[in-house]
Amino acid sequence: MTATKQKRSMVRRAQFALEGALNMVFGNGLNPLYYLGALGFFFFWVVVISGAYIYAFYKTGIELSYPSVEYLTNEQWYFGGVMRSLHRYASDALVLVMALHLLREYIMGRYRGARWFAWFTGVLLIWLIFAAGINGYWMVWDKLAQFSTVSTVEWLDWLPIFSEPMSRSFVTQEVLNDRFFSLISFAHVTLPLFILFLLWVHIMRISKPVVNPSRGLATWMLLALLVLSLVEPALSQGPADMALEPTNLNIDWFYLFIYPLLDAWTAGQVWALVIGSTLLLAVLPWLPPRFKNIPVPEIHLNDCSGCRLCVADCPYEAVIMRPRSDGMHFAEEAVVIADRCVSCGICAGACPSSNPFRGEEDYMSGIEMPSITMSGLRTSLRSDLEKLSGRVRLLVVGCDNAVSVLQLQSASVAAISLPCIAMLPPSFIEFALHEHHVDGVLISGCRAGDCYHRLGVLWTEQRLAGKREPRLRSRAERKRIKLFWSVSLDIKELESELESFRASLTSNQTLTKVREER
Amino acid sequence: MPKPLQYMGQVLFYLLFVVVIGFFSTSPTYTHLPPDETLIKLSFSHAGQHVGACRERTPEELAKLPQYQRKVTTVCPRERSDVVVELELDGKKLYHVVMKPAGFSRSGNSNIYRRIPVKAGKHTLKARLKDHDGDDYNYVRDETVNLVAGRIMVIEFKAETGGFIFKNHAS
Ligand code: HEM
């Protein structure tokens, strides 16, 4: 293992430990770290709604803006003031969850290959969100606004664009222009519209994106921010006065951290830092080490009936339907859009023709991963299962993105690992139980609520529960199937799960009964 | 994990969340300007004098021009000279700048905006400017100023009203 890989896996372990702890406290459904993107949307909406209210009272003008915000804070503290505080704190929370969301996708490596699109649009979102937030602080036109405005304009003046420095328009109270206030007040409505548009683009290539946190999580988050708003209302820091340089300031470090840096560094250095880190982030999906993408699935029209199951299950909208091109009597056929595909194989697991009970030796499914075909999977499964010995013989199927199940292989345990657990067609479980007489099948994968390929865990649960096509048939006894979504990268947990499964099978009367029948 | 422990964990989490947000939305306080300092802002726009003198067009030159352009008989060079400014505080050089005229043909104004932090208190402040090719500073202002901490002094320049204007210092 290289040093960077080792470091990365350490970071992932730490992430898993933290998320595991929160799972214990919240349960997977409420774990905030599983809903960072959704929380981002939620805080965005809180900002929009609270903002709409305070905007109704906001007055645009050098002498008007500050008093209009003060009125809300003091005269109308019970509602307008609370709305102002919510507006500020939800904006801060938005930056916080955005940063964590970015970090998490990075640590999990979910930004390469086809995922570049969400990553790249995410980088653009950072700019827009900071622009809107900083713009918001200017609206108040207090000392903090003055400090931030003057610094920004000085920073912009460094660029060789303007022959007369814009800063000259902010030097004294007399030269200050009302048009500036019209501009920022207009921008403060327009920027969020751009953000909303970009958010829509951000999740455009994601099917069934989670844009709302669960109701419990949303309610508690909102309550928490409300309490904060009442305990620590957002306040202004005295009216701006261009004749006086602001001295001590209470800075919102979520949005305004760049300004102290502008005091310490030259404008050019800060430009280099900001542009440099943006560029670095933007090209990250293409930087080495080269992303080894598993070849994307192929369609075999002879076995494609146009049933749309692969379209329904693809987590990245990478399979679409088009009119039939081969003259068969079906209306449509599936097509894979390679640019959007993350090679999870879920589509192959969804295809009804991925059936191990089929007669032909080298059969093809309607949609197949070229590197792991269904007939190939059947062949290797067969040979593994035939070698099994011992009183209780088990099959473990896992996924490449969670703890590696291959470590569990032994004389009585066969193990296979797939790119995603939902690549496993349920009929393979039935096949192992009935054709090969294994005593139990343990299905493992990423943690519930946190599938690497987004929907694999959910689809597997639903298929096995008979709630989603392709369903697991009822002749595969549920007692002999166990689902276990591991909570850590620690193999011990999975081992002990396997042992308790084995024990339950041994003590299980069904096992003896089935044996006798055989 | 037992339910009560879970609830406690959740409360703790939300508490941590709002404390982080509440704290970093205003703290730690940032000192932008130390209490004993203030700023001088040098800010103005001034067109330097033309480089070289105007001259009369020769009759031959005039003849080459179309009829309607012949009324103006003098030609002046478009290029302007740099504007040089020097500030001295208590006899020590505080700032020196050579301001190039704007535009490709150097025919525009020379612009400046500069913030210069200084210690508050009584100072003698001398500002000199030259806007021609020669060596002598053709505008000078020398004054004792009382710079109050945090109160910005703006140094402007308007040739029409005699040159430098010191604004906003408490006298
Ligand atoms: C406030 C801003 C943002 C919001 C509200 C947001 C929201 C979301 C949502 C809802 C999803 C879909 C999650 C899912 O259903 O699996 C998502 C995916 C994603 N986001 Fe963001 N995001 C934001 C900013 C960013 C930033 C700054 C980055 C990184 C530069 C980023 C990178 C990604 C990536 C890579 C994915 C795709 C993950 C995958 O393919 O499985 N996002 N985002």
Side-chain angles (χ1 to χ4, degrees):
Chain A
M1 207 186 256
T2 61
T4 47
K5 248 191 176 164
Q6 219 157 11
K7 233 185 266 158
R8 192 141 195 177
S9 108
M10 260 167 60
V11 174
R12 268 198 90 170
R13 265 169 210 280
Q15 178 210 343
F16 272 43
L18 178 65
E19 290 176 1
L22 283 181
N23 269 337
M24 286 206 285
V25 172
F26 285 90
N28 297 30
L30 285 182
N31 188 339
L33 295 182
Y34 290 171
Y35 294 94
L36 292 169
L39 281 172
F41 266 89
F42 175 70
F43 290 131
F44 176 75
W45 292 123
V46 175
V47 170
V48 168
I49 291 166
S50 55
Y53 183 81
I54 53 181
Y55 201 73
F57 293 87
Y58 183 73
K59 295 204 173 73
T60 303
I62 304 170
E63 302 295 337
L64 301 175
S65 297
Y66 184 81
S68 74
V69 180
E70 280 301 273
Y71 162 79
L72 275 177
T73 307
N74 300 319
E75 255 53 62
Q76 221 200 87
W77 62 269
Y78 50 88
F79 196 76
V82 171
M83 282 294 172
R84 178 187 180 193
S85 304
L86 263 187
H87 191 66
R88 175 183 295 185
Y89 292 136
S91 307
D92 290 338
L94 174 60
V95 168
L96 186 63
V97 294
M98 175 171 76
L100 292 174
H101 170 59
L102 178 155
L103 197 67
R104 191 165 186 276
E105 299 300 333
Y106 174 72
I107 293 173
M108 312 238 315
R110 297 208 299 191
Y111 59 96
R112 291 168 170 276
R115 290 184 174 92
W116 74 268
F117 186 81
W119 181 266
F120 193 83
T121 49
V123 176
L124 301 180
L125 270 168
I126 301 178
W127 270 86
L128 279 184
I129 283 169
F130 273 96
I134 291 171
N135 175 191
Y137 271 105
W138 295 357
M139 301 275 284
V140 183
W141 207 237
D142 62 349
K143 292 202 183 324
L144 182 62
Q146 177 190 348
F147 162 65
S148 157
T149 307
V150 171
S151 287
T152 307
V153 177
E154 286 171 356
W155 191 43
L156 289 173
D157 274 336
W158 183 87
L159 299 173
I161 301 176
F162 318 97
S163 72
E164 177 159 2
M166 287 190 294
S167 299
R168 300 223 320 108
S169 312
F170 295 87
V171 162
T172 57
Q173 203 70 16
E174 301 89 68
V175 296
L176 209 56
N177 196 314
D178 262 334
R179 266 183 313 190
F180 170 70
F181 290 85
S182 311
L183 180 75
I184 58 173
S185 144
F186 173 73
H188 206 53
V189 179
T190 324
L191 280 170
L193 286 176
F194 279 115
I195 292 175
L196 189 59
F197 172 73
L198 207 59
L199 278 175
W200 172 70
V201 177
H202 184 60
I203 53 167
M204 205 155 69
R205 294 192 177 177
I206 290 178
S207 94
K208 302 180 183 61
V210 184
V211 290
N212 291 312
S214 61
R215 195 170 293 170
L217 189 56
T219 312
W220 285 112
M221 282 289 181
L222 187 62
L223 274 176
L225 290 187
L226 261 175
V227 170
L228 178 62
S229 301
L230 288 167
V231 174
E232 202 64 49
L235 300 174
S236 307
Q237 302 184 34
D241 179 349
M242 303 321 269
L244 301 175
E245 185 71 357
T247 48
N248 285 328
L249 291 161
N250 292 327
I251 285 206
D252 182 331
W253 293 90
F254 294 100
Y255 281 97
L256 308 177
F257 58 85
I258 197 92
Y259 295 103
L261 199 61
L262 271 167
D263 279 351
W265 290 9
T266 66
Q269 286 169 328
V270 178
W271 273 118
L273 178 78
V274 167
I275 301 279
S277 43
T278 304
L279 283 180
L280 180 68
L281 268 185
V283 302
L284 212 57
W286 298 278
L287 286 190
R290 250 196 95 64
F291 181 63
K292 286 191 285 299
N293 208 355
I294 309 168
V296 303
E298 288 167 359
I299 306 286
H300 300 282
L301 280 184
N302 277 345
D303 289 277
C304 173
S305 67
C307 72
R308 285 176 168 260
L309 288 191
C310 51
V311 177
D313 281 8
C314 175
Y316 290 96
E317 312 220 320
V319 194
I320 55 164
M321 300 305 288
R322 71 169 174 211
R324 204 74 195 188
S325 66
D326 61 353
M328 294 249 272
H329 65 281
F330 304 111
E332 293 177 319
E333 65 190 31
V335 186
V336 176
I337 304 174
D339 290 348
R340 297 190 191 168
C341 177
V342 300
S343 302
C344 61
I346 294 181
C347 50
C351 184
S353 67
S354 297
N355 188 330
F357 293 102
R358 286 173 65 173
E360 320 97 279
E361 204 37 55
D362 287 323
Y363 74 89
M364 279 293 173
S365 283
I367 188 163
E368 284 268 26
M369 297 285 283
S371 51
I372 320 159
T373 63
M374 285 298 161
S375 62
L377 191 62
R378 179 175 69 177
T379 311
S380 66
L381 195 62
R382 258 187 197 142
S383 85
D384 285 358
L385 295 183
E386 271 157 15
K387 282 185 225 140
L388 286 185
S389 60
R391 216 169 80 74
V392 181
R393 298 171 322 134
L394 300 170
L395 168 65
V396 186
V397 189
C399 89
D400 297 344
N401 298 298
V403 55
S404 163
V405 295
L406 298 180
Q407 303 171 68
L408 295 174
Q409 260 165 340
S410 70
S412 63
V413 180
I416 48 173
S417 183
L418 298 170
C420 176
I421 192 60
M423 186 183 165
L424 183 77
S427 49
F428 271 74
I429 300 174
E430 193 188 336
F431 181 74
L433 289 171
H434 285 269
E435 291 285 301
H436 289 275
H437 309 300
V438 297
D439 299 302
V441 180
L442 177 68
I443 303 283
S444 168
C446 309
R447 302 163 301 172
D450 184 37
C451 170
Y452 183 81
H453 290 303
R454 303 188 55 255
L455 298 169
V457 171
L458 185 65
W459 290 167
T460 305
E461 281 178 342
Q462 293 186 355
R463 289 170 187 172
L464 267 51
K467 291 185 186 147
R468 184 178 191 87
E469 295 288 356
R471 297 165 213 269
L472 178 66
R473 293 202 294 183
S474 55
R475 97 176 160 132
E477 301 96 310
R478 297 304 188 274
K479 279 185 192 142
R480 297 208 278 144
I481 304 166
K482 183 162 180 86
L483 296 182
F484 177 67
W485 311 124
S486 53
V487 216
S488 72
L489 288 176
D490 199 346
I491 186 72
K492 288 206 186 73
E493 211 183 3
L494 195 59
E495 268 168 358
S496 76
E497 200 61 31
L498 186 70
E499 284 323 304
S500 77
F501 183 41
R502 191 196 294 273
S504 79
L505 287 170
T506 326
S507 64
N508 202 331
Q509 287 183 345
T510 45
L511 181 63
T512 10
K513 220 171 81 199
V514 170
R515 282 269 165 84
E516 279 160 10
E517 278 169 17
R518 281 178 199 163
Chain B
M1 197 184 255
K3 274 262 173 264
L5 224 64
Q6 269 194 326
Y7 289 139
M8 263 168 57
Q10 295 187 8
V11 169
L12 229 75
F13 174 87
Y14 287 115
L15 204 67
L16 182 73
F17 177 73
V18 293
V19 165
V20 166
I21 292 201
F23 182 79
F24 287 108
S25 73
T26 52
S27 317
T29 304
Y30 172 63
T31 304
H32 169 55
L33 196 72
D36 58 342
E37 278 191 17
T38 189
L39 284 186
I40 290 178
K41 285 190 176 179
L42 180 64
S43 166
F44 66 88
S45 176
H46 172 65
Q49 295 175 22
H50 289 290
V51 179
C54 301
R55 64 174 177 82
E56 290 297 312
R57 281 196 167 112
T58 59
E60 293 80 43
E61 277 177 330
L62 279 175
K64 277 192 204 138
L65 290 175
Q67 196 68 44
Y68 69 94
Q69 284 184 358
R70 290 184 195 165
K71 272 198 214 117
V72 185
T73 54
T74 47
V75 275
C76 295
R78 294 187 59 204
E79 188 183 338
R80 291 180 184 277
S81 122
D82 291 342
V83 174
V84 181
V85 176
E86 219 170 72
L87 300 181
E88 261 180 37
L89 196 69
D90 304 326
K92 276 190 236 115
K93 190 160 98 182
L94 180 67
Y95 188 66
H96 174 93
V97 63
V98 179
M99 299 149 64
K100 300 242 172 300
F104 286 117
S105 46
R106 296 170 50 92
S107 58
N109 285 354
S110 291
N111 300 305
I112 184 128
Y113 166 83
R114 198 68 84 237
R115 49 186 295 146
I116 306 156
V118 288
K119 286 268 179 266
K122 259 204 159 67
H123 298 281
T124 55
L125 180 65
K126 183 171 170 188
R128 306 196 290 167
L129 178 146
K130 79 182 181 73
D131 59 358
H132 57 90
D133 266 353
D135 288 333
D136 63 312
Y137 283 84
N138 44 341
Y139 296 94
V140 182
R141 187 179 182 103
D142 200 343
E143 224 178 87
T144 304
V145 293
N146 186 6
L147 301 180
V148 178
R151 176 171 283 273
I152 302 165
M153 194 181 82
V154 182
I155 301 182
E156 290 183 356
F157 182 88
K158 281 202 185 96
E160 314 87 86
T161 56
F164 282 108
I165 306 161
F166 293 174
K167 258 194 188 165
N168 217 12
H169 61 96
S171 45

